[in-house]
Each structure stands twice: as structure tokens, then as C-alpha cells.
Amino acid sequence: IRLTSQDTYDVGSLIIIDALHIPYGCSVWPSFWTLGAGKEWPLAGEIDHMGNNQVALHSTPGCFQAQGVIQSGHTIEGDCSTDRGCIVGEAKPNSFGSGFAQAGGGVFALQMDVAGIFTWFFSRPDIPDDIKNANSSGPVDTSKWGTPSSTYPATACNITQFFGPQQLILLTTLCGVWAGEPGNYAQTCQGNCVADNIIGPGSPKYDNAFWEIRYIRTYLVDNQVQAPPAASSASDLPSSTSTATTPPSSTAQGSGSSSPDTSSTGNVRPSSWAMSRSVPRIEFLMTVVGVSALMLL
């Protein structure tokens, strides 16, 4: 199954997904990611926000993850133009598979800003109060969320150059280039990915291959937050009073600048975000139907 948003989300967006259950099982590869719209891949970038228990950015040559960043995950690859992208492995427990479901699910957050791209994962007991209590008018504050799972500061990747407006994609793949790769498959399953799973009855093999999602919400940066003093180049974490920027139009393309655009935020992240709207259920366009089910509560 593949669901693609018809709208796009540009730099200056914060995207949060709250799920109770993510597909899992032999041959099952779930992911929630964004894809740059209107250009041949990867000219407008790709952000693999949730999948394989990893985060990855895909770009044309010139975008890297800076060295020595502050994050809870571990860097696997630093060059975003490689086939597999620049990868950070998630270190927190219960972020995928049966453990995720047994813990009551959790929240994944993706921040796209001129100062960088940042992601968080929170298991159900650890979800910040401003996310749990969010409403249509109240902001959320990423500076209170602690260390990100992954950190890609603009000091090594000009975000507005390499990442254009993004479409949101929910995808469940069976086997494929990751779950079906023999080395990956053999880590948790036996036999042949296709012959022993896809061929034949779907149950009980795919009884857990479904999404159960409480919501997907998108936020825009709050341009009412006052700018702080200039940030130190050594800091990639948000201050308690970070500046904020007015997001570009959802149809605008990234700039052609060759240097990182940090004119509004220095090296810190905007910390206050005003909620724009939840992604309406009808906004997602089902493009491929598979054996998995999707539940929007």
C-alpha cells in the first residue's frame, strides 16, 4: 500500500505522526517519508523519516551530515548523495516492530528548517506534554523535546538548495531492496522472502502488516517569536528563545544558493511552532493497493 499526500510541505514545516501500530513481520517494510515534488529524484530531495529503524536523507551531490552533531542516534553514512543516503540509526527502544505495538506505539516528528533537518522519536510514555495536549491554536516547542534522534545542520547541507516542497508518503513494501535483501532478511527470518511469504495465503503471515494511526499533523514556523543573539557555530541545539522564519510558499522551489541558508536562525532551530492543520484523511491519494490495511482513528 502507498498513500501520497496531494499537498506539499516546504522548509519551515514540522510534521508529526502518532501511531499505535506500524506494520511488521517477515518481508514487511513499512515507512513514512517525504519526496520532493515536481522534479526527477533526487533533485528536490527525499527524507526517510521512519523506516528500517533509521532516518536517511537523499540529495544530489554536495549535501552531508556535519561531523560531531548532537543526536541520540548513531551515524551510519554521512554523504546524502550515495544510493542509500546519509543515514542515522535510531537508538531508542520500541521504535519499530512488535515492541512498538506492545509499548502502545509512539510519535515521530520531523522538523525541516533553514537551520537544518531534525527528527525525534518518542515512545508512548515519553511523548512531550505539548504534543499530547496540542490543539488547533496552541504551539509546540521543540526546544523542550531533548536531544533529537538525528541532526542534519545546514552547516554541511544547504537545506533550501537540496530540499524542495515535499509530499508525505505512507508506504508498506513487501520484500523490496531492504526487507528482501538476503542479508537483511536472514537477520530475523528464514527461507526465501518472496517464496515463503508473498506466495500463498496472507494470513497468518501478514496479520500484523497494518497501520493504526491516531493522526498526522503539520505545523508552520511561528514568525512571532523574537530573534535571539547570534548563535555559536558549535551549537546545533535549540535555545529557549530561538528565532523563527516565515515559511516559503508550498509551491516554491529551493533556492540555488551554494552556501547554507542560516540567515534567519544561525545554527539553532526555531523552537516555537504554530499548528497549521492536521492532514485531512481525504488529502492522501491511494496509488498502490497491497495486502496491508490502514486504520485512521
PDB file of all heavy atoms in Angstrom, residues 184-208:
ATOM      1  N   ASN A 184      19.696  -8.866   5.066  1.00  0.00           N
ATOM      2  CA  ASN A 184      18.747  -8.265   5.999  1.00  0.00           C
ATOM      3  C   ASN A 184      17.653  -9.250   6.389  1.00  0.00           C
ATOM      4  O   ASN A 184      17.267  -9.357   7.557  1.00  0.00           O
ATOM      5  CB  ASN A 184      18.115  -7.021   5.370  1.00  0.00           C
ATOM      6  CG  ASN A 184      19.098  -5.892   5.194  1.00  0.00           C
ATOM      7  OD1 ASN A 184      20.095  -5.802   5.908  1.00  0.00           O
ATOM      8  ND2 ASN A 184      18.842  -5.021   4.225  1.00  0.00           N
ATOM      9  N   TYR A 185      17.140  -9.970   5.401  1.00  0.00           N
ATOM     10  CA  TYR A 185      16.045 -10.912   5.655  1.00  0.00           C
ATOM     11  C   TYR A 185      16.478 -11.999   6.632  1.00  0.00           C
ATOM     12  O   TYR A 185      15.733 -12.366   7.547  1.00  0.00           O
ATOM     13  CB  TYR A 185      15.588 -11.524   4.333  1.00  0.00           C
ATOM     14  CG  TYR A 185      14.422 -12.483   4.472  1.00  0.00           C
ATOM     15  CD1 TYR A 185      13.118 -12.004   4.589  1.00  0.00           C
ATOM     16  CD2 TYR A 185      14.620 -13.864   4.491  1.00  0.00           C
ATOM     17  CE1 TYR A 185      12.051 -12.871   4.725  1.00  0.00           C
ATOM     18  CE2 TYR A 185      13.559 -14.740   4.627  1.00  0.00           C
ATOM     19  CZ  TYR A 185      12.273 -14.240   4.743  1.00  0.00           C
ATOM     20  OH  TYR A 185      11.208 -15.103   4.881  1.00  0.00           O
ATOM     21  N   ALA A 186      17.691 -12.504   6.478  1.00  0.00           N
ATOM     22  CA  ALA A 186      18.161 -13.608   7.304  1.00  0.00           C
ATOM     23  C   ALA A 186      18.391 -13.219   8.754  1.00  0.00           C
ATOM     24  O   ALA A 186      18.506 -14.090   9.625  1.00  0.00           O
ATOM     25  CB  ALA A 186      19.459 -14.170   6.713  1.00  0.00           C
ATOM     26  N   GLN A 187      18.436 -11.922   9.064  1.00  0.00           N
ATOM     27  CA  GLN A 187      18.656 -11.497  10.441  1.00  0.00           C
ATOM     28  C   GLN A 187      17.477 -11.850  11.341  1.00  0.00           C
ATOM     29  O   GLN A 187      17.642 -12.074  12.541  1.00  0.00           O
ATOM     30  CB  GLN A 187      18.919  -9.988  10.485  1.00  0.00           C
ATOM     31  CG  GLN A 187      20.234  -9.575   9.849  1.00  0.00           C
ATOM     32  CD  GLN A 187      20.455  -8.077   9.914  1.00  0.00           C
ATOM     33  OE1 GLN A 187      19.885  -7.391  10.767  1.00  0.00           O
ATOM     34  NE2 GLN A 187      21.290  -7.549   9.030  1.00  0.00           N
ATOM     35  N   THR A 188      16.280 -11.893  10.765  1.00  0.00           N
ATOM     36  CA  THR A 188      15.091 -12.144  11.585  1.00  0.00           C
ATOM     37  C   THR A 188      14.192 -13.255  11.043  1.00  0.00           C
ATOM     38  O   THR A 188      13.281 -13.690  11.742  1.00  0.00           O
ATOM     39  CB  THR A 188      14.252 -10.859  11.718  1.00  0.00           C
ATOM     40  OG1 THR A 188      13.944 -10.363  10.408  1.00  0.00           O
ATOM     41  CG2 THR A 188      15.000  -9.789  12.500  1.00  0.00           C
ATOM     42  N   CYS A 189      14.412 -13.679   9.802  1.00  0.00           N
ATOM     43  CA  CYS A 189      13.510 -14.641   9.175  1.00  0.00           C
ATOM     44  C   CYS A 189      14.313 -15.738   8.474  1.00  0.00           C
ATOM     45  O   CYS A 189      15.504 -15.568   8.188  1.00  0.00           O
ATOM     46  CB  CYS A 189      12.597 -13.945   8.157  1.00  0.00           C
ATOM     47  SG  CYS A 189      11.618 -12.602   8.865  1.00  0.00           S
ATOM     48  N   GLN A 190      13.634 -16.836   8.170  1.00  0.00           N
ATOM     49  CA  GLN A 190      14.267 -17.950   7.488  1.00  0.00           C
ATOM     50  C   GLN A 190      13.642 -18.162   6.116  1.00  0.00           C
ATOM     51  O   GLN A 190      12.501 -17.759   5.870  1.00  0.00           O
ATOM     52  CB  GLN A 190      14.133 -19.239   8.323  1.00  0.00           C
ATOM     53  CG  GLN A 190      14.831 -19.174   9.670  1.00  0.00           C
ATOM     54  CD  GLN A 190      14.658 -20.455  10.471  1.00  0.00           C
ATOM     55  OE1 GLN A 190      13.819 -21.294  10.149  1.00  0.00           O
ATOM     56  NE2 GLN A 190      15.466 -20.614  11.513  1.00  0.00           N
ATOM     57  N   GLY A 191      14.398 -18.808   5.222  1.00  0.00           N
ATOM     58  CA  GLY A 191      13.872 -19.149   3.912  1.00  0.00           C
ATOM     59  C   GLY A 191      14.065 -18.048   2.900  1.00  0.00           C
ATOM     60  O   GLY A 191      14.985 -17.238   2.985  1.00  0.00           O
ATOM     61  N   ASN A 192      13.136 -17.969   1.946  1.00  0.00           N
ATOM     62  CA  ASN A 192      13.183 -17.006   0.864  1.00  0.00           C
ATOM     63  C   ASN A 192      12.086 -15.964   1.045  1.00  0.00           C
ATOM     64  O   ASN A 192      10.928 -16.307   1.306  1.00  0.00           O
ATOM     65  CB  ASN A 192      13.006 -17.728  -0.478  1.00  0.00           C
ATOM     66  CG  ASN A 192      13.019 -16.783  -1.656  1.00  0.00           C
ATOM     67  OD1 ASN A 192      11.992 -16.223  -2.039  1.00  0.00           O
ATOM     68  ND2 ASN A 192      14.203 -16.597  -2.244  1.00  0.00           N
ATOM     69  N   CYS A 193      12.439 -14.701   0.888  1.00  0.00           N
ATOM     70  CA  CYS A 193      11.489 -13.620   1.181  1.00  0.00           C
ATOM     71  C   CYS A 193      10.211 -13.738   0.353  1.00  0.00           C
ATOM     72  O   CYS A 193       9.102 -13.681   0.885  1.00  0.00           O
ATOM     73  CB  CYS A 193      12.152 -12.265   0.935  1.00  0.00           C
ATOM     74  SG  CYS A 193      11.148 -10.855   1.443  1.00  0.00           S
ATOM     75  N   VAL A 194      10.356 -13.904  -0.954  1.00  0.00           N
ATOM     76  CA  VAL A 194       9.181 -13.950  -1.827  1.00  0.00           C
ATOM     77  C   VAL A 194       8.464 -15.287  -1.729  1.00  0.00           C
ATOM     78  O   VAL A 194       7.259 -15.362  -1.468  1.00  0.00           O
ATOM     79  CB  VAL A 194       9.592 -13.664  -3.285  1.00  0.00           C
ATOM     80  CG1 VAL A 194       8.395 -13.849  -4.217  1.00  0.00           C
ATOM     81  CG2 VAL A 194      10.139 -12.251  -3.416  1.00  0.00           C
ATOM     82  N   ALA A 195       9.186 -16.386  -1.900  1.00  0.00           N
ATOM     83  CA  ALA A 195       8.561 -17.701  -1.966  1.00  0.00           C
ATOM     84  C   ALA A 195       7.881 -18.096  -0.666  1.00  0.00           C
ATOM     85  O   ALA A 195       6.824 -18.749  -0.679  1.00  0.00           O
ATOM     86  CB  ALA A 195       9.609 -18.747  -2.347  1.00  0.00           C
ATOM     87  N   ASP A 196       8.448 -17.691   0.474  1.00  0.00           N
ATOM     88  CA  ASP A 196       7.912 -18.122   1.756  1.00  0.00           C
ATOM     89  C   ASP A 196       6.943 -17.131   2.380  1.00  0.00           C
ATOM     90  O   ASP A 196       6.408 -17.395   3.471  1.00  0.00           O
ATOM     91  CB  ASP A 196       9.060 -18.381   2.738  1.00  0.00           C
ATOM     92  CG  ASP A 196       9.933 -19.544   2.311  1.00  0.00           C
ATOM     93  OD1 ASP A 196       9.384 -20.527   1.762  1.00  0.00           O
ATOM     94  OD2 ASP A 196      11.162 -19.471   2.500  1.00  0.00           O
ATOM     95  N   ASN A 197       6.700 -15.999   1.724  1.00  0.00           N
ATOM     96  CA  ASN A 197       5.796 -15.010   2.304  1.00  0.00           C
ATOM     97  C   ASN A 197       4.751 -14.508   1.315  1.00  0.00           C
ATOM     98  O   ASN A 197       3.547 -14.656   1.549  1.00  0.00           O
ATOM     99  CB  ASN A 197       6.605 -13.818   2.840  1.00  0.00           C
ATOM    100  CG  ASN A 197       7.510 -14.207   3.985  1.00  0.00           C
ATOM    101  OD1 ASN A 197       7.074 -14.362   5.113  1.00  0.00           O
ATOM    102  ND2 ASN A 197       8.796 -14.360   3.694  1.00  0.00           N
ATOM    103  N   ILE A 198       5.187 -13.938   0.221  1.00  0.00           N
ATOM    104  CA  ILE A 198       4.251 -13.311  -0.714  1.00  0.00           C
ATOM    105  C   ILE A 198       3.404 -14.349  -1.430  1.00  0.00           C
ATOM    106  O   ILE A 198       2.207 -14.147  -1.669  1.00  0.00           O
ATOM    107  CB  ILE A 198       5.024 -12.434  -1.723  1.00  0.00           C
ATOM    108  CG1 ILE A 198       5.719 -11.286  -0.979  1.00  0.00           C
ATOM    109  CG2 ILE A 198       4.084 -11.888  -2.781  1.00  0.00           C
ATOM    110  CD1 ILE A 198       6.562 -10.397  -1.863  1.00  0.00           C
ATOM    111  N   ILE A 199       4.006 -15.473  -1.788  1.00  0.00           N
ATOM    112  CA  ILE A 199       3.261 -16.526  -2.466  1.00  0.00           C
ATOM    113  C   ILE A 199       2.477 -17.326  -1.440  1.00  0.00           C
ATOM    114  O   ILE A 199       3.014 -17.792  -0.443  1.00  0.00           O
ATOM    115  CB  ILE A 199       4.226 -17.450  -3.246  1.00  0.00           C
ATOM    116  CG1 ILE A 199       4.958 -16.643  -4.327  1.00  0.00           C
ATOM    117  CG2 ILE A 199       3.479 -18.622  -3.866  1.00  0.00           C
ATOM    118  CD1 ILE A 199       6.024 -17.413  -5.054  1.00  0.00           C
ATOM    119  N   GLY A 200       1.169 -17.471  -1.682  1.00  0.00           N
ATOM    120  CA  GLY A 200       0.320 -18.230  -0.777  1.00  0.00           C
ATOM    121  C   GLY A 200      -0.589 -17.347   0.048  1.00  0.00           C
ATOM    122  O   GLY A 200      -0.675 -16.128  -0.160  1.00  0.00           O
ATOM    123  N   PRO A 201      -1.302 -17.939   1.014  1.00  0.00           N
ATOM    124  CA  PRO A 201      -2.264 -17.185   1.834  1.00  0.00           C
ATOM    125  C   PRO A 201      -1.600 -16.051   2.608  1.00  0.00           C
ATOM    126  O   PRO A 201      -0.463 -16.174   3.062  1.00  0.00           O
ATOM    127  CB  PRO A 201      -2.826 -18.261   2.775  1.00  0.00           C
ATOM    128  CG  PRO A 201      -2.538 -19.562   2.115  1.00  0.00           C
ATOM    129  CD  PRO A 201      -1.247 -19.366   1.368  1.00  0.00           C
ATOM    130  N   GLY A 202      -2.323 -14.950   2.782  1.00  0.00           N
ATOM    131  CA  GLY A 202      -1.778 -13.818   3.519  1.00  0.00           C
ATOM    132  C   GLY A 202      -1.827 -13.997   5.017  1.00  0.00           C
ATOM    133  O   GLY A 202      -1.018 -13.414   5.739  1.00  0.00           O
ATOM    134  N   SER A 203      -2.763 -14.776   5.512  1.00  0.00           N
ATOM    135  CA  SER A 203      -2.891 -14.992   6.952  1.00  0.00           C
ATOM    136  C   SER A 203      -2.395 -16.403   7.299  1.00  0.00           C
ATOM    137  O   SER A 203      -2.661 -17.354   6.551  1.00  0.00           O
ATOM    138  CB  SER A 203      -4.353 -14.844   7.378  1.00  0.00           C
ATOM    139  OG  SER A 203      -4.514 -15.005   8.764  1.00  0.00           O
ATOM    140  N   PRO A 204      -1.640 -16.544   8.375  1.00  0.00           N
ATOM    141  CA  PRO A 204      -1.344 -15.532   9.413  1.00  0.00           C
ATOM    142  C   PRO A 204      -0.085 -14.714   9.155  1.00  0.00           C
ATOM    143  O   PRO A 204       0.293 -13.898  10.001  1.00  0.00           O
ATOM    144  CB  PRO A 204      -1.162 -16.403  10.653  1.00  0.00           C
ATOM    145  CG  PRO A 204      -0.520 -17.650  10.118  1.00  0.00           C
ATOM    146  CD  PRO A 204      -1.164 -17.888   8.772  1.00  0.00           C
ATOM    147  N   LYS A 205       0.561 -14.881   8.020  1.00  0.00           N
ATOM    148  CA  LYS A 205       1.855 -14.238   7.778  1.00  0.00           C
ATOM    149  C   LYS A 205       1.768 -12.721   7.866  1.00  0.00           C
ATOM    150  O   LYS A 205       2.705 -12.064   8.337  1.00  0.00           O
ATOM    151  CB  LYS A 205       2.394 -14.665   6.412  1.00  0.00           C
ATOM    152  CG  LYS A 205       2.776 -16.138   6.314  1.00  0.00           C
ATOM    153  CD  LYS A 205       3.293 -16.502   4.954  1.00  0.00           C
ATOM    154  CE  LYS A 205       2.192 -16.535   3.907  1.00  0.00           C
ATOM    155  NZ  LYS A 205       2.642 -17.095   2.619  1.00  0.00           N
ATOM    156  N   TYR A 206       0.644 -12.150   7.407  1.00  0.00           N
ATOM    157  CA  TYR A 206       0.536 -10.688   7.356  1.00  0.00           C
ATOM    158  C   TYR A 206      -0.523 -10.133   8.313  1.00  0.00           C
ATOM    159  O   TYR A 206      -1.055  -9.047   8.100  1.00  0.00           O
ATOM    160  CB  TYR A 206       0.243 -10.242   5.921  1.00  0.00           C
ATOM    161  CG  TYR A 206       1.403 -10.488   4.990  1.00  0.00           C
ATOM    162  CD1 TYR A 206       1.271 -11.329   3.888  1.00  0.00           C
ATOM    163  CD2 TYR A 206       2.640  -9.903   5.214  1.00  0.00           C
ATOM    164  CE1 TYR A 206       2.346 -11.561   3.025  1.00  0.00           C
ATOM    165  CE2 TYR A 206       3.716 -10.132   4.373  1.00  0.00           C
ATOM    166  CZ  TYR A 206       3.558 -10.964   3.282  1.00  0.00           C
ATOM    167  OH  TYR A 206       4.622 -11.196   2.449  1.00  0.00           O
ATOM    168  N   ASP A 207      -0.793 -10.880   9.372  1.00  0.00           N
ATOM    169  CA  ASP A 207      -1.797 -10.407  10.330  1.00  0.00           C
ATOM    170  C   ASP A 207      -1.372  -9.119  11.032  1.00  0.00           C
ATOM    171  O   ASP A 207      -2.232  -8.359  11.517  1.00  0.00           O
ATOM    172  CB  ASP A 207      -2.072 -11.488  11.379  1.00  0.00           C
ATOM    173  CG  ASP A 207      -2.889 -12.650  10.824  1.00  0.00           C
ATOM    174  OD1 ASP A 207      -3.329 -12.552   9.657  1.00  0.00           O
ATOM    175  OD2 ASP A 207      -3.067 -13.646  11.547  1.00  0.00           O
ATOM    176  N   ASN A 208      -0.081  -8.854  11.111  1.00  0.00           N
ATOM    177  CA  ASN A 208       0.407  -7.629  11.767  1.00  0.00           C
ATOM    178  C   ASN A 208       0.908  -6.585  10.777  1.00  0.00           C
ATOM    179  O   ASN A 208       1.539  -5.608  11.175  1.00  0.00           O
ATOM    180  CB  ASN A 208       1.524  -7.984  12.750  1.00  0.00           C
ATOM    181  CG  ASN A 208       0.994  -8.644  14.000  1.00  0.00           C
ATOM    182  OD1 ASN A 208       0.160  -8.072  14.701  1.00  0.00           O
ATOM    183  ND2 ASN A 208       1.455  -9.853  14.286  1.00  0.00           N
TER     184      ASN A 208
END
